[in-house]
Amino acid sequence: MIQSLTPRQITDIVQGQLLGPSEDALISMVSIDSRSILQPESTLFVALKGAKFDGHTFVPSLLDLGVSCFLVKNDFPDAASISHRASFILVDNTHTALHQLAAYQRSLFKNPLVGITGSNGKTIVKEWLGQVLGRKFPVAKSPKSYNSQVGVPLSVFGIHATDKAAIMEAGISKQGEMSKLEAILKPEIGIFTNIGTAHEEGFPSMEDKLKEKALLFDHSKFVICRKEHAAIHQHLLDKLGEERLIVWSDDVGCDYTLTVRKDPDHAKILLMRPDLSIFTFSVPFLDEASLENIRHVIVASLTLGLEPTDIQEGISHLKAVEMRLTLKPGINDCLLIDDTYNNDLAGLRLALDFMSAQRPKDRKVVILSDMLQVGKPQEVYQKIAELLQYHRVDFLVAVGQHIRQALSHFQGESRHFADTKSLVAGISDLNFENDLILITGAREFRFEQVVDRLQQRIHGTTLEINLNALTHNYNFYKSKILPHTKIMVMVKAFAYGGGAAEIANHLQQMGADYLAVAYTDEGVALREAGIKLPIMVLNPVQESFIHLQQFHLEPVVYGLDFFKQLGKYCRHQGTDMHIHLDFDTGMHRLGFEMEHLQDLKTLIIDFPELRIASMYTHLVGADEEAHHDFSIRQLEDFLKMCSTLESALSYRPLRHALNSAGIVRYPEYQMDMVRLGIGLYGVEVSGLYEGHLKPISSLKTTVSQVKHLKAGETIGYSRKGKMDQDGQIATIAIGYADGYDRRFSNGRGFVLIHGHRAPVIGNVCMDMTMLDVTGLEVREGDEVLIYGPGISLKELAERIGTIPYELLTNISSRVKRVYYLD
Ligand SMILES: *Cc1c(COP(=O)(O)O)cnc(C)c1O
């Protein structure tokens, strides 16, 4: 909060009635969620009443926790009797009081507040703008997509007096809501991102929706909009007048002209300002939605006084924003993109972009309902058909009366169903198999039933991979290095057990620069899965030269003979090849040593066919402080070897040395590239940043049977397990053949069932394991977590004297991998 308040002051602001102490406490935080209270003595708990919950029911337990001030409805029966324990502020309506308190705090903030509304892109524009401005000065921004009647006031309480700007998004679902948010936010600067064509419940027409959203800007000094959104532009012009608008466009004639030029892997945005000065931004995306969002960010940053160079600096550091769309494993190896509640053209465009970024499957299928928009149906459906065509959709499943019109314009295969019920009934006839399926429709069509039918039922043992957690971890390491330093991700050993193709594809989307695999066939598999990034192969063999060449893989060369053989091969084939040189500075595994460098130089000159893409070394003890001196010696030796070799070259190869632990411990040695491994998969081995990473994988299985045993009975092979007392055991469907280490036998290992720890009893079998579940409520079919959030790999590894790497990579390939975005 900007200013801490006493219960008396709060009472005055919300015009309530105060019971209990009035001055004792100083309130600096506001909470509506009983689970998120960190400092109870300085927190005001606001009891809100919703359809499914009532905050008032938490009051007794929060009193015990030590919360000192409560805002409650004036008919809350217990207030008088417990007001000796805390302050109670009684009001007619706690929602209204929350708004009043937020408006008061807002009025104390004298720096610019940016308010963002629109149909799509609000959260991304807010996040990016926050990141760009945040490099110059402290900025407050609403968390996640806190944009509702409750989220906005809570966001305001997150502003601190030291913030130089605040960025808040405002979302509404019906008429009458925006003026309430405006009364709190009163943004000096507004951004109206865009407006969807969907006819949303709660608005009679699109014009009404536009008008309602624009209410956010009633008192704004400036509002930013894009001229191409003609309806928005016109409405704001009529409402606010030209002086208060900042308009940008692809074309000349507005305040800012921002034209886009696309290159294969990034885009350039040419900015022309009113004074005709020109600046070129380089941005890492190509899809239309991102290009619009980033241009809003550029204009807002300029309006807030940033220089173009600072803005470019911020854009270069942008972190990938986690995806809103959900990816789910489907039946018959299908992959589902669940976008059930999206129903306008802008949303469809986003979803199709997202679809194009996924790994190719046999077919692209779109299941789409009527669009309940208000525009001209004929044009809209023709547009939809063109859009699907453009994204190379193979099969359209259309549901509803109106969407029929799209079918005549669509050239791919299609099926029509009158309603969701008939689609669900006929779904098995559609023979979905290994397809990529986008499911998107209006709320009324209740497409969650379709998702439910197509979703894979998980049974047996599965490894679930959360790709958003992967993004999180990637961003963590990216934040530790300079923006231009490249990242090579180690996806050897099936991406540390996670499944290489899917993970590599996600990395490609996030903008990783390089991949590395152990063997050539792993690289071939990635190419066959459509991965385009450069791939380094750590252990190439002579037999695989032809595959290296065919699939554009880049071998590591670590010996003189191998260099010569490869050079001769390339000369014979009349081809060039990118290679990487491994320098041994202490690992003593593979690699050139100092004494080989003279001969190596000669070979490099003899075989110009082999182009040295990079030179690297590997640290042996970056995870442990104890080896600090040794690590530094390795790094310094490596640099010496690099310069020795470079004297024979007319170009400069990339240099790289750091693995995950090295990145956090020796960022000053990041050089041109770093090699990220285990950290990406959620294990921070150096221990310096415990808790900063998210586990990306959860290994799960199910209970096959529960048995009740008497004291003294024995369990499993060799009768190693024994009941000390009467109790029950559960048999689960995972054993050492699945990669569940046999060393977990006899109580060394444990799992989580319904959040409770259950130890292994007896020996781990090949396909099954028994657990002691005495005292726990366990049934056949219950889910069992082997590791994942709640069971750390590090702890498990320590229990059996190994390292997390081994546990991750031991998971057998017969365990099904499923990928999702949460
Ligand atoms: C596996 C590997 C890495 C990654 O190491 P992590 O400790 O998993 O980060 C880096 N470089 C080389 C050469 C490797 O083999």
Side-chain angles (χ1 to χ4, degrees), residues 542-554:
Q542 205 177 345
E543 293 67 40
S544 69
F545 285 173
I546 181 157
H547 281 145
L548 292 171
Q549 184 195 350
Q550 261 178 359
F551 293 94
H552 301 285
L553 303 172
E554 305 178 5

Side-chain angles (χ1 to χ4, degrees), residues 362-376:
D362 287 352
R363 293 186 301 179
K364 272 185 171 183
V365 180
V366 173
I367 304 181
L368 187 65
S369 80
D370 285 350
M371 286 226 173
L372 303 173
Q373 86 298 327
V374 286
K376 304 191 181 73

